């Protein structure tokens, strides 16, 4: 976990350094990369970023095959890994510490991009499209997810080995097929093709920080700095022939939150369950529009939880009616993720909801795994985030999506409490590579281990990175009053 967090932070440092490079730092003109060449701009950017060198001052070698050793070197540059040079290599054909690729291969191996499933690395062999994709997915830290995505749909008929890895590389936009139905996994990757793929990853790793916003249940310990929207969970919707709103927060508290919002738009969060869909949609929409007008809100955040499949049409009808009633006010809609603990969930027409709403907020359901009375999985497991975003990719514009990120611990602990626990003697701090989340343990008087899951900086950065690959530019924080400061491990640190 520490290596991965260091790598993420190194990428940020590299980004800052490149951003400050002088304007005169432009790539050389290569005779084999004229202006009209299909990969010209990406090759030049890759050279400017320091990922590639030309084969000579005037020749890039665009059509030349990329060797496995060369790719290992470029991977180290891309991720900013700290170079290691052990006295003995990990492969029988990587035992010469003076070889130009020796340290790069060992560094890639240490960071998980290369595995020791074979005794040889084959440094001089041309790298295939399959090998390149696998190494990139592993370098990104997604080996666990790739192992869980073997059965997800893939349009390519020529893929059999490493299916999960190639599916991820395709879904993340790193590689494309050679045709609509062919991936050509055994085809050799040229230096031009490798440059294009690597710059796709580079751009995602150095994407702008996501727009942050969140829910403010009260004004105590409220963090609004940098938030462009604050939603107040102030009302609950009940359905039936006479729909009604029940206010759950006092007027005084609402005024306090608004005062603390520091110029951010304030939305009225309205919650409810499937029963709220039973009333007349137009009447319910008019009720919400009146509440927004009376409270001078900037719009509505609608959260109807766990809509069953037979309520899909009613949910769409209600959102459509609210859109019409609100006019130019904002309409944000919370939905359960389209994949619920590995199973497709059919309660929402995501495409239709996205047409009406300004933003869809995706709530990823955690695995309720209990062992010995202890919760053994966190909120927003990373593979569930991947399933959700990859499923929505073809139906909803990423500009309309926002990932809901839980800011409290699995037992409801806020950030201040987590900070206290981190400084308590006898508390063990761990990180699960399986779920990409942190957890704390301690021994009770009975000797059993108690687990508290929470998102630290590394966990938040992992979710931010996945959002970036899918083009999701907004993250909703579940509770803006629970963002305690626990130093380098603070959740907010991983999102900025």
């Amino acid at each position: 976990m520490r290596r991965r967090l260091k790598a993420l932070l190194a990428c940020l440092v590299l980004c800052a350094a490149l951003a400050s490079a002088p304007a005169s730092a432009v790539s050389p003109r290569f005779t084999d990369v004229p202006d009209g060449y299909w990969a010209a701009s990406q090759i030049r950017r890759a050279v400017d970023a320091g990922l590639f060198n030309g084969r000579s001052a005037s020749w890039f070698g665009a059509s030349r095959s990329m060797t496995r050793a060369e790719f290992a070197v470029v991977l180290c540059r891309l991720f900013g890994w700290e170079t290691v040079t052990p006295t003995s290599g990990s492969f029988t054909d990587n035992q010469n510490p003076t070889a130009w690729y020796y340290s790069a291969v060992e560094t890639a191996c240490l960071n998980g991009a290369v595995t020791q499933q074979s005794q040889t690395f084959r440094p001089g062999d041309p790298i295939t499209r399959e090998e390149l994709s696998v190494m990139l997915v592993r370098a990104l830290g997604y080996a666990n997810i790739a192992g869980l995505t073997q059965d997800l749909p893939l349009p390519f008929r020529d893929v059999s080995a490493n299916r999960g890895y190639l599916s991820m590389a395709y879904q993340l936009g790193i590689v494309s097929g050679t045709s609509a139905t062919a991936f050509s996994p055994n085809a050799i990757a040229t230096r031009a093709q490798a440059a294009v793929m690597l710059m796709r990853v580079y751009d995602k790793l150095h994407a702008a920080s996501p727009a942050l916003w969140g829910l403010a249940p009260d004004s105590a310990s409220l963090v609004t700095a940098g938030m462009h929207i604050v939603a107040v969970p102030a009302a609950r919707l009940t359905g039936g022939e006479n729909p009604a709103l029940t206010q759950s927060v006092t007027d005084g508290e609402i005024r306090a939150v608004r005062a603390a919002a520091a110029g951010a738009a304030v939305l009225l969060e309205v919650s409810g369950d499937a029963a709220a869909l039973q009333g007349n949609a137009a009447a319910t929409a008019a009720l919400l529009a009146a509440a927004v007008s009376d409270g001078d809100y900037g719009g509505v955040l609608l959260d109807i939880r766990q809509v069953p499949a037979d309520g899909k049409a009613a949910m769409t009808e209600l959102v459509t009616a609210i859109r019409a009633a609100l006019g130019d006010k904002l309409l944000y809609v919370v939905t359960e993720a389209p994949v619920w603990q590995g199973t497709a969930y059919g309660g929402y027409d995501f495409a239709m909801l996205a047409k009406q709403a300004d933003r869809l907020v995706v709530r990823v359901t955690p695995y309720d795994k209990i062992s010995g009375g202890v919760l053994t999985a966190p909120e927003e497991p990373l593979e569930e985030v991947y399933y959700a975003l990859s499923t929505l990719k073809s139906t909803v514009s990423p500009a309309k999506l926002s990932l809901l990120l839980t800011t409290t611990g699995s037992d409801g602990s806020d950030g201040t409490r987590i900070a206290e626990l981190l400084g308590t003697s006898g508390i063990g701090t761990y990180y699960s590579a399986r779920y990409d989340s942190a957890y704390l343990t301690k021994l009770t008087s009975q000797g059993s281990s108690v687990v508290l899951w929470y998102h630290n900086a590394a966990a938040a950065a992992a979710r931010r990175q996945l959002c970036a690959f899918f083009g999701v530019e907004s993250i909703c924080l579940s509770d803006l009053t629970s963002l305690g400061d626990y130093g380098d491990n603070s959740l907010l640190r991983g999102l900025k």
Side-chain angles (χ1 to χ4, degrees):
M1 184 274 287
R2 291 178 179 173
R3 287 200 303 268
R4 182 169 182 186
L5 180 55
K6 286 174 66 178
L8 287 169
L9 295 177
C11 283
L12 296 177
V13 171
L14 176 62
C15 180
L18 291 171
S20 62
S24 60
V26 295
S27 59
R29 287 281 178 173
F30 297 115
T31 57
D32 61 333
V33 186
D35 289 340
Y37 187 68
W38 70 274
S41 63
Q42 297 293 62
I43 288 173
R44 289 167 185 165
R45 290 182 62 226
V47 173
D48 291 343
L51 302 184
F52 279 78
N53 296 316
R55 303 303 297 172
S56 71
S58 60
W59 182 57
F60 181 75
S63 60
R64 180 183 179 277
S65 61
M66 185 93 179
T67 68
R68 288 169 55 84
E70 289 172 336
F71 193 70
V73 170
V74 175
L75 272 186
C76 292
R77 295 170 181 167
L78 174 65
F79 289 96
W81 291 326
E82 183 178 347
T83 302
V84 297
T85 308
T87 55
S88 179
S90 302
F91 303 94
T92 57
D93 53 359
N94 193 50
Q95 295 296 323
N96 180 8
T98 65
W100 59 269
Y101 53 80
Y102 176 84
S103 294
V105 172
E106 295 305 317
T107 302
C109 186
L110 178 66
N111 285 277
V114 177
T115 63
Q116 293 177 275
Q117 295 177 344
S118 170
Q119 291 185 335
T120 59
F121 179 74
R122 299 178 288 110
D125 284 5
I127 193 167
T128 66
R129 286 168 51 83
E130 177 182 335
E131 291 170 337
L132 183 150
S133 300
V134 170
M135 289 173 69
L136 272 174
V137 170
R138 292 189 62 87
L140 287 166
Y142 297 148
N144 287 316
I145 300 178
L148 299 169
T149 58
Q150 299 290 331
D151 297 326
L152 292 184
L154 188 64
F156 309 121
R157 299 171 184 169
D158 57 350
V159 172
S160 54
N162 291 310
R163 183 181 176 87
Y165 286 96
L166 303 193
S167 175
M168 282 202 76
Y170 172 70
Q171 290 290 345
L172 295 176
I174 298 172
V175 297
S176 55
T178 53
S179 74
T181 58
F183 184 85
S184 302
N186 296 320
I188 300 302
T190 65
R191 282 169 53 85
Q193 292 169 344
V196 170
M197 296 177 197
L198 286 163
M199 289 311 298
R200 289 170 182 165
V201 176
Y202 177 91
D203 288 340
K204 297 302 183 180
L205 290 177
H206 300 91
S209 297
L212 300 180
W213 63 287
L215 278 62
D218 56 58
S219 59
S221 304
L222 183 61
V223 175
T224 60
M227 306 295 164
H228 72 294
I229 286 177
V230 173
V232 184
R236 182 165 181 80
L237 178 65
T238 56
E241 294 183 5
N242 299 303
L245 279 180
T246 303
Q247 185 164 312
S248 55
V249 177
T250 66
D251 290 338
E253 193 57 56
I254 293 173
R255 286 193 296 271
V257 170
R258 191 184 299 276
V266 179
L267 304 185
L268 169 65
E269 190 209 11
V270 178
S271 62
D273 55 27
L277 303 174
Q278 296 173 2
N280 179 275
T284 301
L287 185 67
L288 296 185
V292 167
S293 178
D294 292 344
D296 194 27
Y297 289 99
V300 168
L301 172 62
L302 181 68
D303 185 2
I304 306 298
R305 290 175 174 260
Q306 300 179 14
V307 176
D310 60 6
K312 181 190 295 187
M315 179 68 180
T316 301
E317 182 183 8
L318 176 59
V319 170
T320 302
I322 296 173
R323 172 75 283 162
L326 287 179
D328 60 357
K329 297 283 188 177
L330 292 173
L331 174 57
Y332 283 21
V333 178
V334 181
T335 69
E336 312 296 349
V339 179
W340 184 301
Q341 299 186 7
T343 303
Y345 182 72
Y348 304 88
D349 187 331
F350 294 99
M352 291 300 295
L353 293 178
K355 287 181 63 176
Q356 302 298 329
D358 295 289
R359 195 173 297 280
L360 290 188
V361 185
V362 182
R363 177 169 47 230
V364 176
T365 304
Y367 292 125
D368 293 328
K369 292 186 175 180
I370 305 294
S371 176
V374 174
L375 183 65
T376 60
E379 304 288 334
E380 295 94 37
L382 198 65
E383 74 267 16
E384 287 291 302
V385 176
Y386 174 79
Y387 292 152
L389 297 184
S390 61
T391 301
L392 290 171
K393 180 180 178 181
S394 61
T395 57
V396 179
S397 167
K400 283 209 168 187
L401 290 177
S402 187
L403 175 68
L404 182 63
L405 188 64
T406 301
T407 59
T408 57
S410 56
D411 65 349
S413 298
D414 63 14
T416 300
R417 175 57 179 158
I418 293 172
E420 292 174 354
L421 290 172
L422 286 168
T424 301
S425 176
I427 295 292
T429 305
Y430 301 93
Y431 194 87
S432 168
R434 166 68 174 79
Y435 295 116
D436 257 299
S437 196
Y439 63 100
L440 305 176
T441 66
K442 67 178 180 179
L443 294 179
T444 67
S445 57
Q446 292 77 30
S448 61
S449 178
V450 175
V451 179
L452 182 152
W453 291 89
Y454 68 104
H455 292 327
N456 64 358
R463 285 150 183 80
R464 169 195 168 182
Q465 178 178 290
L466 202 51
C467 283
F469 270 97
F470 283 105
V472 177
E473 302 170 355
S474 169
I475 290 179
C476 174
L477 303 176
S478 69
D479 187 344
L480 294 177
T481 67
S482 65
L483 297 171
D485 183 7
Y486 32 106
D488 289 346
N489 281 319
S490 295
L491 178 148
L492 280 179
R493 178 178 170 84
L495 298 175
K496 296 180 177 179

